[in-house]
């Protein structure tokens, strides 16, 4: 006789555990299949969400990428040596280059001319997007023939049409058409200057290159597609290869500010939904195993009596749970892949993004693996009860707390905590955010448990013998031994919490994915308006019934010195930092930040898109002779490495001006209001040469061509910048992101409801036997139903209320700390959830009372 | 007389000393067993009788290590139960203790035959089908081998439970009202089997019963009342 294994690991591999697990499942196949299906639903949702997520993430990245038009943008004031590309050839699929500068564009007679941003291009830039032109195909024509493409405003201004000629430098170019959408700006600070595109190889003939003071050279690099990690590694390699003096490297992420934080939040939402689906699945698993184990208490007690070690008994059910989990996982992963394929097949065209017909096997494998682990983790929670079962249960039906239980339980909770945390991490949250998400789940779990116990105490206290019998019986079911209050609150309550949170988070994200394109958002800018022309311009607007939304004075200036260091001195600083491979190239003040022209305004107030980060605005009044307090935009302050109190000397068109940073502002560049890097207080710049910038809003759908011509006749030097197409582009991108979010939220809800329905049915057994006993004792079907309904409706309503309360709290926290938006309480979803959960509970109660009356009592009583 | 001498020479298979059990529910407490002393020698047959609620089942449970006493000690087959872990107690039961419950306690998901086989399987013995089948035929269930407990009557279930206890002769068998659900004839067969087990294998029997006839067949009758032993007779 060989000794039975007492260690869990050995018990798990003991053949008897497997044989017993198999036999024990025999009479329960149908029920167990149902459990496997509920696991499968969770895994299916998870697989589908994960499979979509890869595509969604990619599409969001593409949207951001469209802002830059390339994976990597290398910029310099000097021509960029292309030798590093030889070493990078394995990482890069396509390249392009650009030389950009400001120059005068004029009509062939030279009568009318205007300063434009010339962009001489070569290669396939922009990558991955199409450029919209009028006439269609003009962008391709530019690759093949000598010519020029213009911003729409320039065509209106020169009153030229495709085929006409315009002169740039020494050469005449044929106008090929207008660029309406799709060429990202390479110079972040080129401001609103209208753009003109030519071929790089036509540039020398103009004789302009080299003569300009402010020439920018750009190199566009398209990286080989790969995983996030590969991309990061490739990027690091590129940075290293181009870590030369004066070279700046940008990636699409640097540009995503145009979208506001919406896209980032959308990505964050993805990780929250995946986590939600996973935990929902976990609830399903835990509920199913819990019910299963409850029915197995007598069996385990007998096994213990017959000399079976506790760990071997545990192993029997662990084996069962793991097998169920495995079957559910395989089934779920298959269903998930199928659901994905079906979605792509039937709705692929209406999806806002491109999706591969089949999810990647690796994604499925990863998801299934994580799902299976989590499934086992959640199963451990009810399985622990087996360790609590004492052989005494064979003598009288009760089980005592076994010493050591709380320690084991703590271990399991810790394990679950770690699992959920790592899944959150895998889904892209940073460690702290993952911790916060996991902790909030923990808090929800703990509060629901506390609510359950509170509820039991409360009902026990409130119940009165004078209540009608059916009500009394139904309510006392909430606290009597073997009650399902905790089960309901944990499954239904937690489920409601998760689903409502998904919904709430969705609406928070959606609110951030809207750009303000209302009547107060400007879409037409008037640049270079002389102070004495503002009245004329205002009159034109008035005649056209257009509002003047903003009118800001602008003064051009340069930076002379920062914190006492002259520009020339900064340039001469040894740049050894950049020669160290690990040093970030941003550690020095980029030269172009120092050299560029700043157009600053003066005003006392901040507008709605600005928030003070440090210092205060308006500043305290300053005495004549003291440095002028100014406000800097945060990124500029960071680039200049200055903070509140630091001194900057500015060169205001030849006159030095001492200024001190009094305020650092955050500017929401995603809004299309007038925003400036530097803001002065009134009383300093009034006498400097200046011009005005006015904004208005043209009703949507109306072209601004006629208006532009009227304006040009009234004030010939004024430039008009039409933003309607940019606004439309951004709006459509955000709308796509919003649809993605809605789709995923819908998916999670659709998967969550059946899981919760399963949880409701799990508790059924508990009441079945008892209801049958009541039937045997002479209760009518009506009475049985009433008792069950009172209990189920009460539990449904209370679980929902507790879950909603938690969800509202979570929404408040998310709005405050994650999304940083004001929080609006939504009653609608809470009421819908209330209706669904009471309805669902009542329905579950009805099924129960029906099955009570459909089986013969003897059958049920014999089953034990 | 000879038996007396024998029993004082060999160490008892069960030795209960100053055993008490108190259930406390909140501030109320109920003493179910009060200072019980009992010693059972190998091969002895002992009937425990007493009114309902006097603590017989509780005593049996404590003797088999199914529950923990409030105070006192139990020595079973040379081992002191209080010092053993749950697993060690289970192992001890697997080795040397048989148990027949008042309420059968068959495993509902196993067939009659499989229920009988469980103790052997737990000992790591393979085979045994033939023995188990023979045993079930002996208790009149030769045709019900593959039936599940809920397909059997109470008496039939009890007979399966007995077969399970007999399949590997234990050193001591605790039986809680083994004939409680049986008709006179079946009951007689079972009692025969019990005593045959005792004769052939030297299994000590501790029987709780309300049946005076069964009690009379035991060499020793212990009378309980309200948690105490009020008489220990060897007629
Ligand atoms: N878990 C418990 N909590 C409180 N009291 C209990 C518990 N279990 C048993 N008792 C009480 O202990 C006493 C003895 O019970 P026990 O089952 O040992 O009686 P018994 O002598 O076997 O009766 P019967 O002949 O009816 O089977 C009874 O009064 C019973 O109510
Ligand atoms: Mg009893």
């Amino acid at each position: 006789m060989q000794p039975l294994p007492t260690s869990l690991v050995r018990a798990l591999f003991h053949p008897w555990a497997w044989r017993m697990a198999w036999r024990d499942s025999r009479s329960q196949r149908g029920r167990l299949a149902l459990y496997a299906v509920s696991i499968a639903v969770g895994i299916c949702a998870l697989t589908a969400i994960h499979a979509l997520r890869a595509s969604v993430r990619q599409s969001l990245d593409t949207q951001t990428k469209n802002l830059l038009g390339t994976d990597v943008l290398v910029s310099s004031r000097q021509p960029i040596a292309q030798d590093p590309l030889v070493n990078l050839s394995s990482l890069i699929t396509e390249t392009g280059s650009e030389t950009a500068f400001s120059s005068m564009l004029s009509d062939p007679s030279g009568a009318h001319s205007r300063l434009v941003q010339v962009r001489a291009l070569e290669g396939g830039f922009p990558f991955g997007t199409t450029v919209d032109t009028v006439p269609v195909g003009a962008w391709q024509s530019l690759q093949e023939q000598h010519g020029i493409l213009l911003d729409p405003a320039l065509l209106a201004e020169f009153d030229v049409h495709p085929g006409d000629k315009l002169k740039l430098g020494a050469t005449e170019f044929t106008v090929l058409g207008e660029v309406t959408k799709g060429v990202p700006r390479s110079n972040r600070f080129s401001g609103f200057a209208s753009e003109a595109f030519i071929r790089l190889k036509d540039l020398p003939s103009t004789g302009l290159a080299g003569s300009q003071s402010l020439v920018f050279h750009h190199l566009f690099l398209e990286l080989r597609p790969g995983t996030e990690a590969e991309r990061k590694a490739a990027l690091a390699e590129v940075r290293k290869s181009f870590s030369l003096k004066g070279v700046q490297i940008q990636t699409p992420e640097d540009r995503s500010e145009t979208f506001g934080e919406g896209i980032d939040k959308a990505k964050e939402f993805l990780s929250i939904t995946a986590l939600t689906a996973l935990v929902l699945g976990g609830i399903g698993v835990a509920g199913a195993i819990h019910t299963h184990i409850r029915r197995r208490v007598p069996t385990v007690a007998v096994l213990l009596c017959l000399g079976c070690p506790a760990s071997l008994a545990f192993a029997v059910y662990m084996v069962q749970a793991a097998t169920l989990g495995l079957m559910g996982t395989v089934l779920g992963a298959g269903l998930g892949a199928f659901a994905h394929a079906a979605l792509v097949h039937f709705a692929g065209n209406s999806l806002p993004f491109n999706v591969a017909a089949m999810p990647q096997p690796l994604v499925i494998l990863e998801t299934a693996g994580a799902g299976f682990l989590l499934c086992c983790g959640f199963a451990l929670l009810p399985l622990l009860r087996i360790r609590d079962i004492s052989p005494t249960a064979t003598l009288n039906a009760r089980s005592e707390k076994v010493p050591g239980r709380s320690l084991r339980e703590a271990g399991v909770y810790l394990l679950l905590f770690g699992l959920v945390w790592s899944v959150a991490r895998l889904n892209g949250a940073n460690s702290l955010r993952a911790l916060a998400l996991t902790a909030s789940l923990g808090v929800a779990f703990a509060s629901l448990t506390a609510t359950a116990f509170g509820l039991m105490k409360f009902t026990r206290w409130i119940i009165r013998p004078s209540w009608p019998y059916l009500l009394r019986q139904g309510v006392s079911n909430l606290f009597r031994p073997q009650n399902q209050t905790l089960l309901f609150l944990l499954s239904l309550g937690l489920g409601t919490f998760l689903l409502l949170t998904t919904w709430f988070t969705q609406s928070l994200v959606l609110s951030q994915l809207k750009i303000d394109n209302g009547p107060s958002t400007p879409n037409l800018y008037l640049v270079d308006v002389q102070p004495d022309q503002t009245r004329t311009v205002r009159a034109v607007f008035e005649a056209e019934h257009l509002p003047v939304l903003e009118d800001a004075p602008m003064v051009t200036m340069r930076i002379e010195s920062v914190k006492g260091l002259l520009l020339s001195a900064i340039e001469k600083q040894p740049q050894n930092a950049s020669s160290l491979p690990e040093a970030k190239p941003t550690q020095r003040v980029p030269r172009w930040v120092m050299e560029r022209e700043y157009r600053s305004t003066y005003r006392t107030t901040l507008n709605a898109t600005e928030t003070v980060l440090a210092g205060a605005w308006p500043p305290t009044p300053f005495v004549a002779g003291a440095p002028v307090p100014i406000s800097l935009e945060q990124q500029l302050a960071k680039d200049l490495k200055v903070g509140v109190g630091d001194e900057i000397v500015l060169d205001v068109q030849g006159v030095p001006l001492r200024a001190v940073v009094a305020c650092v502002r955050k500017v929401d560049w995603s809004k299309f209001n007038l925003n400036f890097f530097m803001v002065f207080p009134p009383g300093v710049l009034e006498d400097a040469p200046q011009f005005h910038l006015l904004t208005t809003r043209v009703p949507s759908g109306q072209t601004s061509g006629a208006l532009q011509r009227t304006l040009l006749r009234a004030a010939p030097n004024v430039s008009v910048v039409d933003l309607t197409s940019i606004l439309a582009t951004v709006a459509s991108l955000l709308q796509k992101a919003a649809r993605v979010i809605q789709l995923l939220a819908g998916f999670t809800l659709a998967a969550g409801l059946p899981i919760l329905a399963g949880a409701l049915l799990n508790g059924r057994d508990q009441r079945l036997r008892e209801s049958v006993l009541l039937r045997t004792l002479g209760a009518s079907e009506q009475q049985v139903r009433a008792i069950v309904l009172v209990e189920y409706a009460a539990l449904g309503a209370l679980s929902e209320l507790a879950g909603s309360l938690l969800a509202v709290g979570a929404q408040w926290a998310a709005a405050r700390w994650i999304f940083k938006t004001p929080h609006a309480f939504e009653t609608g979803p809470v009421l819908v959830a209330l209706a669904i959960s009471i309805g669902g509970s009542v329905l579950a109660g009805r099924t129960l009372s029906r099955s009570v009356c459909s089986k013969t009592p003897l059958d049920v009583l014999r089953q034990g | 007389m000879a038996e007396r001498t024998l029993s004082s020479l060999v160490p008892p298979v069960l030795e209960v000393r100053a055993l008490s059990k108190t259930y406390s529910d909140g501030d109320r407490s109920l003493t179910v067993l009060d200072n019980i002393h009992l010693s059972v020698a190998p091969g002895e047959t002992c009937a425990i009788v007493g009114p309902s609620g006097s603590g017989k089942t509780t005593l049996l449970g404590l003797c088999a290590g199914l529950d923990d006493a409030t105070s006192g000690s139990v020595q079973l087959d040379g081992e002191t139960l209080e010092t053993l872990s749950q697993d060690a107690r289970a192992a001890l039961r697997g080795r040397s203790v048989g148990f027949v419950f008042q309420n059968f306690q068959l495993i509902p998901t196993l067939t009659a035959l499989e229920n009988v086989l469980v103790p052997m399987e737990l000992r790591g013995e393979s085979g045994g089908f033939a023995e188990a089948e023979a045993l079930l035929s002996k208790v009149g269930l030769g045709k019900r081998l593959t039936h599940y407990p809920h397909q059997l009557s109470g008496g039939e279930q009890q007979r399966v439970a007995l077969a399970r206890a007999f399949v590997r002769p234990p050193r001591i068998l605790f039986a809680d009202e083994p004939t409680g659900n049986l008709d006179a004839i079946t009951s007689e067969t079972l009692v025969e089997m019990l005593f045959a087990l005792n004769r052939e294998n030297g299994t000590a029997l501790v029987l709780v019963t309300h049946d005076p006839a069964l009690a009379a067949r035991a060499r020793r009758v212990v009378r309980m009342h309200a948690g105490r032993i009020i008489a220990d007779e060897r007629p």
Side-chain angles (χ1 to χ4, degrees), chain A residues 396 398, chain B residues 23 30 32 50-59 102 176-177 210:
Chain A
N396 48 25
R398 88 211 148 88
Chain B
Y23 287 112
L30 177 72
V32 176
S52 177
S54 55
K56 306 180 294 290
T57 299
T58 310
L59 176 61
Q102 195 169 359
D176 197 351
E177 297 185 31
H210 289 296

Side-chain angles (χ1 to χ4, degrees), chain A residues 1 4 16 19-20 23-24 26-27 296 299 302-305 307-310 391-392 394-395 398 862, chain B residues 23 57 61 66-67 87 90 93-95 101 103 105 107-110 114 118 121-123 148 150 152 164:
Chain A
M1 172 178 154
L4 290 171
W16 185 79
R19 194 171 340 143
M20 188 64 200
R23 285 179 184 161
D24 184 77
R26 230 170 7 197
S27 59
R296 286 295 175 270
T299 302
V302 174
L303 285 176
L304 294 176
C305 272
C308 176
T392 333
T394 47
L395 303 179
R398 88 211 148 88
R862 267 174 186 278
Chain B
Y23 287 112
T57 299
L66 301 184
D67 201 359
D87 278 348
R93 277 196 297 273
R95 260 195 330 267
F101 300 90
N103 46 359
Q105 298 294 1
I107 295 174
T109 50
L110 300 188
E114 284 165 350
V118 168
E121 288 173 341
L122 282 174
R123 287 163 169 242
Y148 288 97
H150 68 90
L152 301 173
R164 182 175 67 186

Side-chain angles (χ1 to χ4, degrees), chain B residues 124-153:
Chain B
E125 298 172 12
S126 50
F129 280 95
E131 273 171 275
E133 272 185 52
L135 212 50
L136 279 169
S137 307
K138 207 165 154 190
V139 294
L141 292 174
K143 296 217 167 91
R144 314 293 300 272
L145 301 178
T146 56
H147 283 198
Y148 288 97
H150 68 90
Q151 295 167 319
L152 301 173
S153 76

